[in-house]
Amino acid sequence: MPGIEGKVVVITGASSGIGEAAARLLSRRGARVVVGARRTDRLEKLASAIRAEGGTVEHRAVDVTKRQDVADFVDFARATFGRVDVIVNNAGVMPLSPLSSLKIEEWDRMIDVNIRGVLHGIAAGLPIMKAQGHGHFVNVSSIGGHMVVPTAAVYCATKFAVWAISDGLRQESTDLRVTVISPGVTESELAETITDDSARQAMKEFRKTAISADAVARAIAFAIEQPDDVDVSEIVVRPTASPH
Ligand code: NDP
Protein backbone atom coordinates (compact mmCIF):
# COMPACT_ATOMS: atom_id res chain seq x y z
CA MET A 1 0.00 0.00 0.00
CA PRO A 2 2.05 2.98 -1.19
CA GLY A 3 1.47 6.55 -0.07
CA ILE A 4 -0.01 7.85 3.15
CA GLU A 5 -3.76 7.89 2.42
CA GLY A 6 -5.63 5.36 4.55
CA LYS A 7 -2.61 4.15 6.50
CA VAL A 8 -3.03 3.54 10.23
CA VAL A 9 -0.20 5.45 11.90
CA VAL A 10 0.48 5.15 15.63
CA ILE A 11 2.54 7.98 17.14
CA THR A 12 4.03 8.10 20.65
CA GLY A 13 4.90 11.46 22.20
CA ALA A 14 2.25 13.23 20.15
CA SER A 15 1.22 15.77 22.79
CA SER A 16 3.81 18.32 21.60
CA GLY A 17 6.67 19.06 19.22
CA ILE A 18 7.59 16.61 16.47
CA GLY A 19 4.97 13.99 17.34
CA GLU A 20 2.18 16.55 17.29
CA ALA A 21 3.41 18.05 14.00
CA ALA A 22 3.62 14.56 12.47
CA ALA A 23 0.06 13.76 13.57
CA ARG A 24 -1.26 16.96 12.01
CA LEU A 25 0.63 16.53 8.74
CA LEU A 26 -0.07 12.81 8.29
CA SER A 27 -3.77 13.22 9.04
CA ARG A 28 -3.95 16.04 6.49
CA ARG A 29 -2.40 13.61 4.03
CA GLY A 30 -5.17 11.07 4.72
CA ALA A 31 -3.59 8.83 7.37
CA ARG A 32 -5.73 7.54 10.23
CA VAL A 33 -3.63 8.54 13.23
CA VAL A 34 -3.60 7.16 16.75
CA VAL A 35 -1.83 9.53 19.11
CA GLY A 36 -0.46 8.78 22.55
CA ALA A 37 1.42 10.49 25.38
CA ARG A 38 0.86 11.10 29.09
CA ARG A 39 -0.77 14.56 28.83
CA THR A 40 -4.24 13.58 27.66
CA ASP A 41 -5.56 17.17 27.81
CA ARG A 42 -3.07 18.05 25.06
CA LEU A 43 -4.03 14.94 23.07
CA GLU A 44 -7.72 15.85 23.32
CA LYS A 45 -7.02 19.34 21.93
CA LEU A 46 -4.93 17.87 19.13
CA ALA A 47 -7.62 15.34 18.26
CA SER A 48 -10.28 18.06 18.16
CA ALA A 49 -8.12 20.20 15.86
CA ILE A 50 -7.47 17.27 13.53
CA ARG A 51 -11.16 16.33 13.42
CA ALA A 52 -12.09 19.96 12.73
CA GLU A 53 -9.94 19.72 9.60
CA GLY A 54 -11.75 16.53 8.55
CA GLY A 55 -9.01 14.13 9.71
CA THR A 56 -9.39 10.75 11.38
CA VAL A 57 -7.77 10.43 14.80
CA GLU A 58 -8.01 8.53 18.07
CA HIS A 59 -6.05 9.26 21.21
CA ARG A 60 -5.08 7.34 24.30
CA ALA A 61 -2.89 7.86 27.36
CA VAL A 62 0.37 5.95 27.14
CA ASP A 63 3.52 5.95 29.22
CA VAL A 64 6.15 4.39 26.97
CA THR A 65 8.23 3.30 29.96
CA LYS A 66 5.46 0.80 30.77
CA ARG A 67 5.47 -2.22 28.50
CA GLN A 68 1.81 -3.08 29.05
CA ASP A 69 0.73 0.52 28.39
CA VAL A 70 2.43 0.46 25.00
CA ALA A 71 1.01 -2.98 24.17
CA ASP A 72 -2.49 -1.73 25.05
CA PHE A 73 -1.95 1.45 23.01
CA VAL A 74 -0.92 -0.43 19.87
CA ASP A 75 -3.70 -3.01 20.38
CA PHE A 76 -6.17 -0.13 20.71
CA ALA A 77 -5.06 1.13 17.28
CA ARG A 78 -5.48 -2.31 15.74
CA ALA A 79 -8.87 -2.86 17.40
CA THR A 80 -10.07 0.56 16.22
CA PHE A 81 -8.82 0.50 12.63
CA GLY A 82 -8.20 -3.19 11.93
CA ARG A 83 -4.47 -2.98 11.37
CA VAL A 84 -1.30 -1.04 12.18
CA ASP A 85 0.69 0.16 9.20
CA VAL A 86 3.21 2.49 10.86
CA ILE A 87 4.48 3.01 14.40
CA VAL A 88 6.36 6.26 15.01
CA ASN A 89 8.40 5.69 18.17
CA ASN A 90 8.93 9.37 18.88
CA ALA A 91 8.51 9.95 22.64
CA GLY A 92 11.72 11.20 24.21
CA VAL A 93 13.24 13.30 26.97
CA MET A 94 16.52 15.23 27.12
CA PRO A 95 17.52 16.33 30.63
CA LEU A 96 21.12 17.25 29.74
CA SER A 97 23.81 17.62 32.41
CA PRO A 98 27.49 16.83 32.90
CA LEU A 99 28.07 13.29 34.17
CA SER A 100 29.77 14.80 37.23
CA SER A 101 26.40 16.20 38.35
CA LEU A 102 25.37 12.60 39.03
CA LYS A 103 21.75 13.19 38.06
CA ILE A 104 21.32 9.46 38.06
CA GLU A 105 17.53 9.53 38.12
CA GLU A 106 17.60 11.62 34.94
CA TRP A 107 19.99 9.12 33.30
CA ASP A 108 17.54 6.37 34.19
CA ARG A 109 14.61 8.35 32.82
CA MET A 110 16.38 8.89 29.48
CA ILE A 111 17.17 5.19 29.27
CA ASP A 112 13.60 4.27 30.20
CA VAL A 113 11.85 6.67 27.80
CA ASN A 114 14.31 6.91 24.91
CA ILE A 115 15.51 3.29 24.73
CA ARG A 116 12.99 1.12 26.58
CA GLY A 117 10.13 3.17 25.13
CA VAL A 118 11.29 2.41 21.59
CA LEU A 119 11.79 -1.28 22.44
CA HIS A 120 8.29 -1.42 23.93
CA GLY A 121 6.91 0.01 20.69
CA ILE A 122 8.78 -2.58 18.68
CA ALA A 123 7.66 -5.41 20.98
CA ALA A 124 4.04 -4.31 20.68
CA GLY A 125 4.08 -3.79 16.94
CA LEU A 126 6.32 -6.52 15.63
CA PRO A 127 3.96 -9.51 16.07
CA ILE A 128 1.10 -7.52 14.52
CA MET A 129 3.17 -6.40 11.55
CA LYS A 130 4.66 -9.89 11.03
CA ALA A 131 1.14 -11.36 10.99
CA GLN A 132 -0.04 -8.69 8.54
CA GLY A 133 3.00 -9.29 6.34
CA HIS A 134 3.78 -5.59 6.25
CA GLY A 135 4.54 -2.67 8.54
CA HIS A 136 6.85 0.25 9.10
CA PHE A 137 8.70 1.43 12.19
CA VAL A 138 9.81 5.06 12.22
CA ASN A 139 12.12 5.56 15.19
CA VAL A 140 13.16 9.07 16.18
CA SER A 141 16.86 9.27 17.06
CA SER A 142 18.79 12.56 16.78
CA ILE A 143 21.98 14.11 15.49
CA GLY A 144 22.92 13.08 19.03
CA GLY A 145 22.80 9.53 17.62
CA HIS A 146 25.80 10.43 15.47
CA MET A 147 27.95 12.58 17.71
CA VAL A 148 28.57 13.26 21.39
CA VAL A 149 28.93 16.65 23.08
CA PRO A 150 29.54 17.54 26.72
CA THR A 151 26.40 17.35 28.92
CA ALA A 152 24.80 14.99 26.41
CA ALA A 153 26.65 11.73 27.10
CA VAL A 154 23.64 9.77 28.32
CA TYR A 155 21.19 11.39 25.91
CA CYS A 156 23.51 10.63 23.00
CA ALA A 157 23.97 7.07 24.28
CA THR A 158 20.21 6.58 24.17
CA LYS A 159 20.05 7.96 20.64
CA PHE A 160 23.02 5.80 19.49
CA ALA A 161 20.97 2.92 20.92
CA VAL A 162 17.89 3.92 18.92
CA TRP A 163 20.05 3.92 15.80
CA ALA A 164 21.56 0.49 16.61
CA ILE A 165 18.23 -1.11 17.52
CA SER A 166 16.63 0.27 14.36
CA ASP A 167 19.38 -0.93 12.08
CA GLY A 168 19.34 -4.36 13.69
CA LEU A 169 15.59 -4.54 13.26
CA ARG A 170 15.93 -3.47 9.64
CA GLN A 171 18.50 -6.15 8.90
CA GLU A 172 16.38 -8.85 10.55
CA SER A 173 13.10 -7.83 8.89
CA THR A 174 13.15 -8.01 5.11
CA ASP A 175 9.33 -7.97 5.18
CA LEU A 176 9.10 -4.71 7.17
CA ARG A 177 10.40 -1.19 6.69
CA VAL A 178 12.46 0.56 9.34
CA THR A 179 13.38 4.24 9.29
CA VAL A 180 15.51 6.27 11.65
CA ILE A 181 14.77 9.98 11.71
CA SER A 182 17.66 12.01 13.12
CA PRO A 183 16.67 15.64 13.65
CA GLY A 184 19.03 18.45 14.46
CA VAL A 185 17.82 21.20 16.72
CA THR A 186 14.05 21.53 16.32
CA GLU A 187 11.42 23.77 17.92
CA SER A 188 9.66 21.80 20.65
CA GLU A 189 9.34 21.48 24.41
CA LEU A 190 12.29 19.09 24.66
CA ALA A 191 14.72 21.51 26.37
CA GLU A 192 12.20 22.04 29.17
CA THR A 193 13.30 18.73 30.68
CA ILE A 194 16.78 20.19 31.42
CA THR A 195 17.27 20.86 35.15
CA ASP A 196 21.01 21.63 35.03
CA ASP A 197 21.43 25.45 34.87
CA SER A 198 24.53 25.62 32.66
CA ALA A 199 23.21 22.99 30.22
CA ARG A 200 19.89 24.84 30.08
CA GLN A 201 21.64 28.13 29.31
CA ALA A 202 23.87 26.55 26.63
CA MET A 203 20.83 24.94 25.04
CA LYS A 204 19.05 28.33 24.79
CA GLU A 205 21.91 29.57 22.58
CA PHE A 206 22.05 26.32 20.58
CA ARG A 207 18.31 26.39 19.91
CA LYS A 208 18.38 29.81 18.20
CA THR A 209 18.75 28.13 14.80
CA ALA A 210 15.99 25.57 15.44
CA ILE A 211 13.92 24.36 12.49
CA SER A 212 10.18 23.86 12.83
CA ALA A 213 8.75 20.57 14.05
CA ASP A 214 6.89 20.48 10.74
CA ALA A 215 10.24 20.14 8.91
CA VAL A 216 10.84 16.87 10.75
CA ALA A 217 7.22 15.80 10.19
CA ARG A 218 7.79 16.22 6.44
CA ALA A 219 10.78 13.88 6.65
CA ILE A 220 8.62 11.30 8.43
CA ALA A 221 5.95 11.68 5.73
CA PHE A 222 8.57 11.23 3.00
CA ALA A 223 9.69 7.90 4.48
CA ILE A 224 6.11 6.67 4.83
CA GLU A 225 4.95 7.68 1.36
CA GLN A 226 7.60 5.66 -0.51
CA PRO A 227 6.50 2.49 -2.29
CA ASP A 228 6.59 -0.70 -0.18
CA ASP A 229 9.81 -1.93 -1.79
CA VAL A 230 11.66 1.24 -0.79
CA ASP A 231 12.94 1.51 2.76
CA VAL A 232 14.24 4.96 3.62
CA SER A 233 16.53 3.68 6.34
CA GLU A 234 17.62 7.08 7.69
CA ILE A 235 16.98 10.77 7.26
CA VAL A 236 19.08 13.42 9.01
CA VAL A 237 17.33 16.82 9.04
CA ARG A 238 19.36 19.78 10.25
CA PRO A 239 19.01 23.56 10.35
CA THR A 240 20.93 25.00 7.41
CA ALA A 241 22.35 27.60 9.77
CA SER A 242 23.85 25.10 12.23
CA PRO A 243 27.16 23.23 11.89
CA HIS A 244 25.67 20.38 14.00
P1 NDP B 1 8.77 17.48 23.06
O1 NDP B 1 9.25 17.59 24.47
O2 NDP B 1 8.00 18.60 22.49
O3 NDP B 1 7.97 16.13 22.87
C1 NDP B 1 8.31 14.95 23.56
C2 NDP B 1 7.09 14.05 23.59
O4 NDP B 1 7.44 12.85 24.29
C3 NDP B 1 5.92 14.68 24.31
O5 NDP B 1 4.75 14.45 23.58
C4 NDP B 1 5.86 13.92 25.64
O6 NDP B 1 4.51 13.79 26.04
C5 NDP B 1 6.41 12.57 25.21
N1 NDP B 1 6.88 11.77 26.33
C6 NDP B 1 7.86 12.05 27.21
N2 NDP B 1 7.95 11.07 28.12
C7 NDP B 1 7.00 10.15 27.80
C8 NDP B 1 6.58 8.92 28.36
N3 NDP B 1 7.16 8.40 29.45
N4 NDP B 1 5.56 8.25 27.76
C9 NDP B 1 4.96 8.76 26.68
N5 NDP B 1 5.31 9.90 26.09
C10 NDP B 1 6.32 10.60 26.67
O7 NDP B 1 10.10 17.21 22.22
P2 NDP B 1 10.36 16.80 20.68
O8 NDP B 1 9.15 16.87 19.88
O9 NDP B 1 11.55 17.55 20.27
O10 NDP B 1 10.79 15.28 20.88
C11 NDP B 1 10.38 14.22 20.05
C12 NDP B 1 11.57 13.33 19.75
O11 NDP B 1 12.49 14.03 18.94
C13 NDP B 1 12.34 12.87 20.99
O12 NDP B 1 12.65 11.50 20.87
C14 NDP B 1 13.60 13.72 20.92
O13 NDP B 1 14.68 13.11 21.56
C15 NDP B 1 13.80 13.83 19.42
N6 NDP B 1 14.68 14.90 18.97
C16 NDP B 1 14.32 16.21 19.17
C17 NDP B 1 15.18 17.23 18.78
C18 NDP B 1 14.87 18.66 19.04
O14 NDP B 1 15.77 19.51 18.88
N7 NDP B 1 13.66 19.02 19.40
C19 NDP B 1 16.44 16.94 18.08
C20 NDP B 1 16.68 15.53 17.91
C21 NDP B 1 15.82 14.57 18.33
P3 NDP B 1 3.98 13.74 27.55
O15 NDP B 1 4.88 14.59 28.39
O16 NDP B 1 2.59 14.28 27.42
O17 NDP B 1 3.98 12.29 27.93
Side-chain angles (χ1 to χ4, degrees), residues 84-100:
V84 175
D85 298 308
V86 184
I87 296 179
V88 184
N89 285 309
N90 164 74
V93 291
M94 190 188 68
L96 302 179
S97 63
L99 289 168
S100 58

Side-chain angles (χ1 to χ4, degrees), residues 8-232:
V8 178
V9 181
V10 175
I11 306 173
T12 68
S15 58
S16 62
I18 293 167
E20 179 184 342
R24 288 178 189 273
L25 178 66
L26 294 170
S27 65
R28 262 182 234 129
R29 303 275 305 271
R32 294 175 286 171
V33 296
V34 181
V35 292
R38 294 164 305 169
R39 289 172 295 174
T40 50
D41 54 328
R42 301 278 290 258
L43 294 177
E44 271 162 31
K45 278 189 197 139
L46 172 64
S48 300
I50 288 174
R51 288 192 190 112
E53 287 189 356
T56 304
V57 59
E58 294 294 335
H59 66 89
R60 188 182 166 108
V62 62
D63 181 340
V64 297
T65 67
K66 297 182 178 151
R67 197 200 313 175
Q68 192 58 48
D69 254 32
V70 183
D72 291 346
F73 177 53
V74 174
D75 270 349
F76 165 72
R78 182 179 50 174
T80 307
F81 293 117
R83 57 173 203 271
V84 175
D85 298 308
V86 184
I87 296 179
V88 184
N89 285 309
N90 164 74
V93 291
M94 190 188 68
L96 302 179
S97 63
L99 289 168
S100 58
S101 296
L102 296 181
K103 290 184 180 274
I104 297 166
E105 282 173 10
E106 294 187 353
W107 304 349
D108 286 346
R109 191 150 62 89
M110 283 189 274
I111 291 165
D112 287 344
V113 177
N114 301 3
I115 304 179
R116 288 206 173 86
V118 170
L119 286 170
H120 292 158
I122 292 169
L126 203 48
I128 296 173
M129 291 182 182
K130 287 280 180 192
Q132 291 172 169
H134 77 273
H136 188 176
F137 287 99
V138 178
N139 297 333
V140 180
S141 176
S142 168
I143 52 163
H146 294 270
M147 63 170 201
V148 183
V149 292
T151 74
V154 179
Y155 179 73
C156 292
T158 66
K159 294 304 186 176
F160 273 60
V162 171
W163 192 94
I165 291 161
S166 303
D167 207 52
L169 178 63
R170 180 188 65 75
Q171 292 178 34
E172 290 175 11
S173 319
T174 50
D175 50 346
L176 306 180
R177 302 196 294 170
V178 182
T179 300
V180 180
I181 302 288
S182 292
V185 62
T186 304
E187 285 164 7
S188 78
E189 298 174 15
L190 195 67
E192 289 171 26
T193 56
I194 303 174
T195 60
D196 181 87
D197 285 343
S198 58
R200 203 182 167 86
Q201 213 41 50
M203 192 45 56
K204 266 190 191 152
E205 194 54 37
F206 184 54
R207 296 188 83 78
K208 281 184 179 159
T209 58
I211 52 174
S212 71
D214 192 56
V216 182
R218 292 197 298 273
I220 294 171
F222 176 80
I224 295 173
E225 75 189 352
Q226 299 308 305
D228 281 350
D229 62 340
V230 177
D231 181 8
V232 177

